[in-house]
Structure formats: structure tokens, C-alpha cells
């Protein structure tokens, strides 16, 4: 498979939805209607089987695949492929009652009754056996059926289990990691509050009525839960890969979900997919929603540096936001084009048909309870189907190539969020990462969102906000990055602890980063939510006074040049922004979090310095963004207007573009309607 391809069995942009035909097996005519409507909506695939376990195995060891055979084969005869899910998103009631160990134990150490979904113990040998037995049957039956193009493993895999089996597995995991209790005690700093362990059996998971204050334990528990979930996933795919290694496997990841460290799944996932549920038209403006969604798209693409799947988004409303706002005219098209712009090769929905009962009956679907195709939602979905067909040949074999990256590291985030002080009111890791990211997004400059363990060498600009935890060879690679002639930007709360959250002693930021930034940090003053300071810049294009928030680091430049000073408080005049030449490159240090009024021109000057490509050559009006996908046949420019009013956009002088949706040739200036989008070649 080439890096652009989602699945070898269907080399096209995918358009589809979660489909649960098992809910209507008793109602004549629904399946036939579904097929008729799917064709009308321009679907080429559906995701089947996500929650079908009790229909596939109605009793322990009694299987029924007849209905699924009919669904998959009839869809295929009608040109619709199946993404087949393993049914472990939810398990049958009989299993819970027959094998109590499969139910998850919550943090209060009480075992759950049957309920909801996920809710399983991923360690349980019984649950693993039942999963293997099911998946082996699915694989033997469908892995070589040309209708099945992909495996969708479980659903939004997540959660932690605190049962005795998981606790025992945690202790084994720790033994493997540390070798001796002595090493574990040192790594977790257990002399504090008399916590030293003298027997592996004494180690309990972090629960609210137990040990909560040991940051090393908390981190390792999160790491263990990630590893245990990855291990479960690896067992899930084993029979599928044995039956046919060529069928790709994915799990649908979630927006800003960081309870698991998704990076650990990547060696075993063929394609990244995720579920996009921004709160369009809800309590934040759509520009903020668009920014967060763009950041998540780029995060997902960056995991494998290749096209990904938007596995779910709602055709109109969710039913779990505060208020279920219908997507305004244009919004579905715009959000679909946004996904494509950031490298998705699919637009898929939850869900095809609205269920009649239970808790998602008011979540919108392509086909609602009214059963009609003459609705705004249906027409919007069909329009997206047309758009995907029109764009297919030009964009399928393209992707986003970024020269800028932001480090968004999940273990680092866990540690920052667990830290007591300096700001228990919030360190805002997500928001701060997004505020740096925004400057590129608004300028039409592609940006990757990466883990700190990823290779940095292909980037010109690397931003590492609050790189609190230093992992492995990261400090060394950061130094090499800068000395090779590139630019690194970091901030307060950087280079303070190791991988078990033990503070470094001596000069900070640690492990040579003081040399890279040309300064040493003495202390940090945390501001209350209602307080701010200022970064005052005396000369140059950034000159002026810019508000700053959250933390004010007190730093002493050694070789760094002071670009901005604090404008207030008793440390007025101390450095607030510095720049250091290190080898052939430069490293900037924001001692405090600047307002966007500084971040935007700051990054614009770096974009210009490196001559980094802006999608439309110039800055864009507020509310509008643009991005580029490129491939062997050139560049495709996507323009998105997240304002609820029309806006005029200047195109680069002397260039003509083909509007791939209207077929027109455009140049000099175009007008985008409210929530409008264009795709230009
Ligand atoms: C998630 C799940 C779906 C559905 C949607 C509703 O993304 O994967 O099964 O519950 O949420 O928005
Ligand atoms: Zn368990």
C-alpha cells in the first residue's frame, strides 16, 4: 500500500457512516430503502458491526453470521463496501453474568454491573479469549471477502480497570520496568511521606481513597493502562492479520483524548482514524471550534505522517452537547472540506439511520425517524458525496507537508496536569499549544502536531511549549536541531523533570537546554486567573507592550539576547522573551505566556525568515484559513471561511486557479459565502 492509500481494496476517498442494520432486521423494507438512499447519498462504504456482539453470539459459543453475510454481500452487490468492526465496543449481557471478571472495576474498587459500553477489563483472560474466538470467526469468514475493505477495531477504545487482575498485571509490568524494588522506590521518590515499598504486593494503583500524591506512580499507572490497552488491541488484530495481513486495521481515536497515549498504538495501526465532534454554533464561536478541530486533524495526521480517516462526524447535531445545534447551511460542506484540507481521505458519519430507542435516538443521522431523503441533512450529505467524487482524482494521492511542528506530548501533559503547583488553577497545556498553532493556521501555513519522540529533522521551526518532562534523547536532539540552523521556541516550565517526574538539580532548564537557550532559570511566579503581566518589546517589528498570562519565569541570560522585558510587578525589567544563537540556529524562550497579539507577528516574522509557504502567499483575513495538500501532480489549495458572513479573499497576483468544485477559472480575488469553502488547483 502506498502511504496515501487507506485500503488497497478501494482506492478512493471514502464516504460512509456507522450503520447498524441489526436494529431493523424485523422491519421489512428498511434495508432495501437504506441501500437505495446510500447510493443516492454517494456512499461507497459503511461501517458495520460496531455494537453487534449480542446479535453475532446470542449465547455463549452460539454464533449467527447469517444476517451479517446478507448485509455485507447485498451492500457489495450495490457498490457499497464494508468496514467491518470487531464487536468489542460493547459486550452481551450474558457474558457479564456468566463471567463476572470481564466487567471493569472502577477507581472506587467497586466492580461495575452490566451497563453502557466499553466497560470491560482488558486484562481478563476470559474477555481476551471471547474476543479471540469472535475475531477468529469474523476473520475466517470475511477477511477474504472483497466486500470487506478494512477492520475497525472495537470502538473509541478507552478507560481504565482497577480489578485484581489489572493490579497484578501492573505489578508485573513494574517488575519488568524497574527490576528491583530499590530502583522503583528511587524512581518514585518514596522516601517522601514514608512510602517505601518492601514487597511488590504492597503496590496498589492510584485511587482516591489510597495513594494519589505519588506522581511517579500516577505516571506509571497511566503508562501501564496504555500498554495494557495496546496489548489487548494487538491480541484483537492477531486473528485478523493471520487470515489476511493485507486488510488494514484502525481504531477510532477521539478529540483531545489523552487518557491513553495514542502514540503507543502507532506501530500496530495501519491507518489513523478519529471521531470529530466540535461544538459548531455552540457556546464558543465557530472560529474557536475550527481552530481546535484543525489542531486535532493535524495531530492525527502527524502520528503517521500520511492521510488519515475522519471516521465519524455528525451529519448535523450530536445529542450530548449542552444544546444540540443543527449544522447551519454550508457547515457540513465546510467541515468536510476542512477534514480533507488537513489530510483526511474520508468523510464518514455517525450515523446512517437514527435509532428508534435508547440514548442516541435524538443524535442526528443521515436518515432520521422521518425516513425521508427530502431533508436538509440528506441533501447536505449527498452534496458532500458529490464533492468527494469531484475531488477524488486531484487529492487522493496528496498530503500535507509541514515545515513547522508543535510538540504535544501526552506523557508530558499527564505530568504537567498532575503537578501540584505552580498553577493549580490550570496550566492549560491544550490551549497554550493551540495558541502557538493558531499563528500558523491563520497564515495558511501547515503545521504538524507531534510527540517529543518523533524525528525533528524535517522541520525548520519547532515549538515546544512547556516541555516540562525531558524524555530519552529529546534534549540532545533539540540541541542538534538548533545547531543545524533551525529555530526552536520554548517557554517557562521546560526541562524540569525526568520521565518519572523527579526534578533535576542544578542549572535549569536541565540536560544542556540552558546552553541551547543561553539562560538559566531561577524561579517562577504564578499569576492568578485575574492577573497579568506584560512583555515589553522596545525595537523592531514586534515593538509594543503585550499582555502575558499564567507564569512569569525569572531567568538570567548567559548568552541570550533579551528581546522583551516584563512591564510590571517587582520583576519589571527582567527578561520575558529571549533569543539565543546556538550553533547555526536560534532558540527563543518565552518566560511567560504571551497574548496572541505578540504570538501572531512573532511567528509571521519567522515564517518570512524561512520563506515558509503560505497557502495563499499572504496573510488571511480573520476567520479565514487555507491549507495545501501536495503530491506528484501539484498543489491543491483549500480555503475555509468560518465566519457567518461572506468575505473577499485576494489570490496571489498573476496566478490562475481552477475551482475544482465549480470548474471555473479564478484569479485575483474570490468571494467566499458565509461558512463557505473552496478547493483550488
Ligand atoms: C462516539 C461513538 C459513537 C456514537 C457517537 C455519538 O463517537 O463512537 O458510537 O456514540 O459518539 O456522537
Ligand atoms: Zn481489570
Amino acid at each position: 500500500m502506498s502511504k496515501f492509500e487507506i485500503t488497497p481494496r478501494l482506492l478512493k476517498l471514502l464516504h460512509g457512516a456507522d450503520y447498524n442494520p441489526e436494529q431493523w432486521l424485523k422491519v421489512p423494507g428498511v434495508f432495501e430503502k437504506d441501500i437505495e438512499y446510500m447510493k443516492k447519498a454517494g456512499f461507497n462504504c459503511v461501517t458495520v458491526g460496531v455494537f453487534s456482539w449480542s446479535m453475532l453470539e446470542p449465547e455463549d459459543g452460539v454464533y449467527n453470521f447469517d444476517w451479517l453475510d446478507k448485509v455485507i454481500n447485498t451492500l457489495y452487490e450495490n457498490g457499497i463496501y464494508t468496514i467491518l468492526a470487531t464487536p468489542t465496543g460493547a459486550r452481551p449481557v450474558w457474558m457479564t453474568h456468566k463471567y463476572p471478571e470481564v466487567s471493569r472495576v472502577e477507581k472506587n474498587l467497586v466492580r461495575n454491573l452490566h451497563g453502557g459500553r466499553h466497560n470491560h477489563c482488558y486484562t481478563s483472560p476470559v474477555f481476551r479469549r471471547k474476543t479471540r474466538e469472535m475475531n477468529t470467526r469474523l476473520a475466517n469468514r470475511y477477511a477474504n471477502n472483497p466486500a470487506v475493505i478494512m477492520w475497525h477495531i472495537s470502538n473509541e477504545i478507552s478507560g481504565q480497570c482497577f480489578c485484581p487482575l489489572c493490579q497484578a498485571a501492573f505489578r508485573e509490568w513494574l517488575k519488568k520496568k524497574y527490576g528491583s524494588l530499590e530502583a522503583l522506590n528511587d524512581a518514585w521518590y518514596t522516601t517522601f511521606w514514608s512510602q517505601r515499598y518492601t514487597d511488590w504486593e504492597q503496590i496498589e494503583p492510584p485511587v482516591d481513597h489510597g495513594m494519589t500524591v505519588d506522581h511517579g506512580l500516577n505516571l506509571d499507572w497511566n503508562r501501564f493502562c496504555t500498554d495494557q490497552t495496546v496489548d489487548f488491541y494487538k491480541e484483537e488484530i492477531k486473528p485478523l492479520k493471520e487470515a489476511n495481513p493485507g486488510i488494514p486495521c484502525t481504531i477510532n481515536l477521539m478529540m483531545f483524548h489523552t487518557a491513553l497515549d495514542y502514540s503507543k498504538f502507532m506501530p500496530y495501526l495501519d491507518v489513523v482514524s478519529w471521531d470529530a465532534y466540535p461544538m459548531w454554533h455552540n457556546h464558543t464561536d465557530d472560529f474557536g471550534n475550527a481552530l481546535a478541530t484543525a489542531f486535532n486533524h493535524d495531530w492525527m495526521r502527524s502520528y503517521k505522517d500520511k492521510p488519515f480517516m475522519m471516521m465519524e462526524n455528525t451529519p448535523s447535531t450530536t445529542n450530548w452537547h449542552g444544546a444540540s445545534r443543527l449544522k447551519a447551511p454550508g457547515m457540513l460542506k465546510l467541515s468536510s472540506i476542512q477534514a480533507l484540507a488537513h489530510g483526511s481521505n474520508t468523510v464518514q458519519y455517525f450515523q446512517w439511520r437514527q435509532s428508534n430507542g435508547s440514548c442516541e435516538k435524538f443524535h442526528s443521522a443521515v436518515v432520521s425517524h422521518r425516513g425521508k431523503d427530502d431533508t436538509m441533512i440528506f441533501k447536505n450529505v449527498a452534496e458532500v458525496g458529490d464533492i468527494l467524487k469531484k475531488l477524488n482524482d486531484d487529492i487522493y494521492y496528496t498530503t500535507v507537508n509541514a515545515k513547522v511542528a508543535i510538540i504535544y506530548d501526552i506523557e508530558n501533559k499527564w505530568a504537567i496536569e498532575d503537578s501540584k503547583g505552580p498553577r493549580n488553577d490550570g496550566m492549560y497545556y491544550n490551549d497554550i499549544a493551540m495558541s502557538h498553532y493558531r499563528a500558523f493556521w491563520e497564515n495558511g501555513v501547515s503545521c504538524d502536531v507531534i510527540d517529543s519522540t518523533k524525528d525533528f529533522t524535517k522541520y525548520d521551526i519547532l515549538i515546544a511549549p512547556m516541555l516540562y518532562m525531558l524524555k530519552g534523547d529529546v534534549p540532545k536532539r533539540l540541541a542538534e536541531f538548533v545547531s543545524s540552523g533551525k529555530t526552536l521556541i520554548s517557554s517557562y516550565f521546560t526541562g524540569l523533570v525526568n520521565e518519572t517526574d523527579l526534578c533535576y538539580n542544578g542549572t535549569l532548564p536541565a540536560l544542556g537546554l540552558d546552553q541551547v537557550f543561553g539562560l538559566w532559570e531561577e524561579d517562577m511566579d504564578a499569576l492568578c486567573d485575574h492577573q497579568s503581566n506584560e512583555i515589553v518589546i522596545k525595537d523592531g517589528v514586534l515593538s509594543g507592550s503585550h499582555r502575558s498570562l499564567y507564569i512569569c519565569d525569572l531567568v538570567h541570560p548567559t548568552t541570550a539576547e533579551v528581546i522583551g522585558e516584563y512591564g510590571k510587578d517587582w520583576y519589571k525589567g527582567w527578561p520575558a522573551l529571549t533569543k539565543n544563537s546556538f550553533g547555526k540556529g536560534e532558540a527563543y524562550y518565552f518566560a511567560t505566556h504571551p497574548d496572541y497579539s505578540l504570538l501572531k507577528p512573532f511567528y509571521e516574522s519567522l515564517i518570512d525568515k524561512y520563506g515558509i509557504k503560505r497557502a495563499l502567499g499572504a496573510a488571511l483575513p480573520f476567520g479565514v484559513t487555507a491549507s495545501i495538500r501536495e503530491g506528484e501532480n501539484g498543489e491543491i489549495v483549500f480555503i475555509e471561511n468560518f465566519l457567518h458572513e461572506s468575505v473577499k479573499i485576494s489570490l496571489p497576483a498573476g496566478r490562475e486557479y481552477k475551482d475544482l468544485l465549480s470548474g471555473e477559472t479564478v484569479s485575483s480575488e474570490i468571494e467566499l459565502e458565509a461558512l463557505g469553502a473552496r478547493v483550488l488547483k
Side-chain angles (χ1 to χ4, degrees):
M1 233 171 49
S2 93
K3 95 171 202 175
F4 305 97
E5 293 167 4
I6 299 295
T7 162
R9 281 186 174 158
L10 182 56
L11 299 175
K12 291 226 172 334
L13 297 172
L14 302 184
H15 192 216
D18 275 24
Y19 180 42
N20 297 100
E22 66 271 32
Q23 293 178 21
W24 290 276
L25 289 181
K26 291 182 188 158
V27 192
V30 172
F31 182 51
E32 292 69 23
K33 200 78 202 162
D34 283 338
I35 291 181
E36 178 197 328
Y37 281 178
M38 282 175 192
K39 289 187 190 167
K40 235 175 162 173
F43 270 29
N44 53 16
C45 67
V46 283
T47 305
V48 178
V50 176
F51 297 114
S52 304
W53 203 334
S54 67
M55 294 296 282
L56 295 173
E57 191 180 359
E59 289 171 48
D60 196 2
V62 177
Y63 295 91
N64 174 10
F65 295 101
D66 295 346
W67 67 270
L68 187 57
D69 290 348
K70 184 183 161 213
V71 167
I72 291 175
N73 295 331
T74 316
L75 286 167
Y76 185 54
E77 284 156 19
N78 284 278
I80 297 159
Y81 291 79
T82 293
I83 294 175
L84 188 55
T86 62
T88 54
R91 60 170 191 276
V93 187
W94 59 256
M95 198 188 296
T96 308
H97 289 271
K98 187 162 177 188
Y99 307 110
E101 72 166 55
V102 301
S103 287
R104 192 169 283 179
V105 169
E106 293 295 336
K107 217 175 174 178
N108 56 10
L109 301 189
V110 175
R111 197 178 290 279
N112 290 334
L113 301 183
H114 188 85
R117 50 185 184 178
H118 310 298
N119 195 12
H120 336 289
C121 171
Y122 291 130
T123 305
S124 157
V126 173
F127 192 64
R128 287 181 175 222
R129 172 174 62 81
K130 290 307 299 170
T131 299
R132 188 171 59 247
E133 288 170 359
M134 169 55 73
N135 290 5
T136 303
R137 281 170 176 78
L138 287 173
N140 292 344
R141 207 172 180 98
Y142 301 111
N144 292 300
N145 181 336
V148 174
I149 56 173
M150 193 162 192
W151 295 109
H152 174 298
I153 308 302
S154 198
N155 191 62
E156 294 189 337
I157 200 162
S158 58
Q160 302 188 340
C161 176
F162 294 78
C163 79
L165 293 168
C166 287
Q167 294 195 29
F170 179 46
R171 289 188 277 269
E172 288 310 310
W173 185 93
L174 291 169
K175 278 183 203 163
K176 224 159 132 197
K177 175 166 180 179
Y178 292 105
S180 73
L181 269 182
E182 185 70 15
L184 174 139
N185 278 312
D186 291 347
W188 288 2
Y189 206 70
T190 54
T191 32
F192 181 76
W193 288 1
S194 201
Q195 300 166 55
R196 285 190 89 80
Y197 296 100
T198 54
D199 191 315
W200 293 99
E201 292 306 307
Q202 296 161 355
I203 300 171
E204 292 166 340
V207 299
D208 294 338
H209 59 297
M211 183 58 73
T212 57
V213 295
D214 188 334
H215 294 173
L217 164 67
N218 295 347
L219 275 172
D220 275 340
W221 173 255
N222 284 340
R223 289 180 177 128
F224 160 76
C225 290
T226 293
D227 284 359
Q228 202 66 351
T229 315
V230 171
D231 190 61
F232 178 80
Y233 166 83
K234 282 163 70 182
E235 280 209 24
E236 275 231 14
I237 66 171
K238 214 187 242 163
L240 313 177
K241 288 291 181 188
E242 273 165 16
N244 186 344
I247 305 302
C249 294
T250 191
I251 41 172
N252 48 343
L253 308 178
M254 292 177 270
M255 190 163 187
F256 279 128
H257 182 85
T258 53
L260 292 171
D261 180 1
Y262 284 153
S263 70
K264 299 291 192 300
F265 285 88
M266 293 306 145
Y268 317 104
L269 278 187
D270 297 302
V271 180
V272 168
S273 68
W274 80 287
D275 299 344
Y277 290 101
M279 302 200 185
W280 299 119
H281 325 317
N282 214 303
H283 54 77
T284 52
D285 57 25
D286 282 329
F287 191 68
N289 285 320
L291 170 68
T293 311
F295 183 90
N296 276 266
H297 280 312
D298 285 340
W299 177 35
M300 294 296 155
R301 185 197 61 251
S302 304
Y303 269 129
K304 284 194 165 278
D305 196 19
K306 65 177 195 178
F308 61 93
M309 308 172 76
M310 179 164 68
M311 178 64 87
E312 290 180 26
N313 85 111
T314 176
S316 189
T317 75
T318 70
N319 69 330
W320 50 267
H321 292 160
S324 308
R325 302 288 328 261
L326 291 169
K327 280 184 181 168
M331 191 68 240
L332 185 72
K333 174 180 164 191
L334 173 60
S335 57
S336 304
I337 287 181
Q338 183 190 32
L340 301 173
H342 288 269
S344 179
N345 268 355
T346 80
V347 176
Q348 295 156 276
Y349 314 95
F350 177 85
Q351 53 189 337
W352 169 255
R353 185 180 275 275
Q354 230 171 9
S355 50
N356 282 337
S358 213
C359 67
E360 287 184 332
K361 59 183 179 296
F362 292 125
H363 193 294
S364 64
V366 183
V367 181
S368 80
H369 298 136
R370 291 93 183 159
K372 298 190 187 304
D373 59 350
D374 187 19
T375 61
M376 182 170 108
I377 292 179
F378 192 93
K379 288 178 192 157
N380 289 344
V381 168
E383 184 190 12
V384 172
D386 281 345
I387 289 172
L388 292 173
K389 277 188 200 130
K390 281 187 182 150
L391 296 181
N392 190 80
D393 294 351
D394 285 300
I395 74 168
Y396 190 80
Y397 287 101
T398 65
T399 191
V400 174
N401 289 319
K403 301 303 281 175
V404 181
I406 296 206
I407 294 181
Y408 179 70
D409 188 287
I410 304 314
E411 294 190 344
N412 183 50
K413 182 170 184 277
W414 289 340
I416 290 174
E417 288 171 356
D418 203 23
S419 165
K420 300 285 167 287
R423 248 188 71 87
N424 301 331
D425 291 341
M427 295 294 279
Y428 305 124
Y429 190 61
N430 284 355
D431 291 347
I432 283 169
M434 278 197 292
S435 69
H436 289 265
Y437 170 88
R438 176 178 166 188
F440 298 96
W441 182 67
E442 285 199 335
N443 272 287
V445 171
S446 300
C447 181
D448 283 353
V449 177
I450 61 168
D451 195 82
S452 70
T453 55
K454 276 234 163 172
D455 182 19
F456 307 142
T457 50
K458 70 172 199 165
Y459 304 109
D460 289 333
I461 300 175
L462 183 65
I463 303 141
M466 289 196 274
L467 194 62
Y468 168 67
M469 176 191 284
L470 298 181
K471 295 178 8 180
D473 62 356
V474 170
K476 186 172 147 269
R477 289 189 299 110
L478 288 175
E480 286 164 3
F481 176 81
V482 181
S483 64
S484 75
K486 311 292 185 67
T487 295
L488 171 69
I489 297 95
S490 191
S491 74
Y492 60 88
F493 222 54
T494 286
L496 301 184
V497 300
N498 73 5
E499 292 182 53
T500 57
D501 213 358
L502 288 184
C503 291
Y504 291 112
N505 295 154
T507 306
L508 299 174
L511 303 187
L513 289 182
D514 64 311
Q515 305 284 317
V516 175
F517 293 107
L519 53 78
W520 64 276
E521 184 253 13
E522 176 182 328
D523 217 329
M524 46 196 152
D525 186 29
L527 306 179
C528 300
D529 275 340
H530 62 277
Q531 296 169 332
S532 62
N533 204 307
E534 285 167 3
I535 303 182
V536 181
I537 298 180
K538 295 209 174 95
D539 320 300
V541 284
L542 304 177
S543 70
S545 172
H546 307 270
R547 205 165 71 109
S548 86
L549 298 169
Y550 312 135
I551 302 281
C552 295
D553 240 359
L554 303 184
V555 300
H556 299 271
T558 48
T559 54
E561 172 194 342
V562 178
I563 295 183
E565 296 172 352
Y566 288 116
K568 291 203 312 205
D569 221 327
W570 57 267
Y571 38 85
K572 178 175 175 181
W574 281 58
L577 170 61
T578 62
K579 169 170 131 182
N580 190 44
S581 296
F582 183 79
K584 289 192 233 149
E586 286 168 349
Y588 290 85
Y589 191 89
F590 279 100
T592 178
H593 182 64
D595 210 67
Y596 190 63
S597 68
L598 174 56
L599 280 180
K600 187 161 190 272
F602 172 80
Y603 283 120
E604 283 170 346
S605 67
L606 286 182
I607 293 168
D608 291 341
K609 175 182 163 190
Y610 284 100
I612 294 174
K613 197 175 353 179
R614 290 173 162 98
L616 288 177
L620 297 158
F622 175 79
V624 174
T625 176
S627 62
I628 289 181
R629 283 178 71 151
E630 48 196 308
E632 276 179 12
N633 298 327
E635 288 178 2
I636 309 297
V637 181
F638 298 75
I639 313 175
E640 303 140 44
N641 173 22
F642 292 99
L643 301 178
H644 289 246
E645 58 198 51
S646 69
V647 59
K648 291 202 168 90
I649 320 268
S650 310
L651 299 177
R655 286 192 75 167
E656 277 192 347
Y657 294 87
K658 182 178 174 200
D659 182 324
L660 291 177
L661 300 181
S662 71
E664 293 162 0
T665 301
V666 293
S667 59
S668 67
E669 191 182 69
I670 50 170
E671 181 161 357
L672 255 69
E673 64 281 12
L675 298 176
R678 293 280 185 285
V679 185
L680 307 180
K681 183 173 180 174

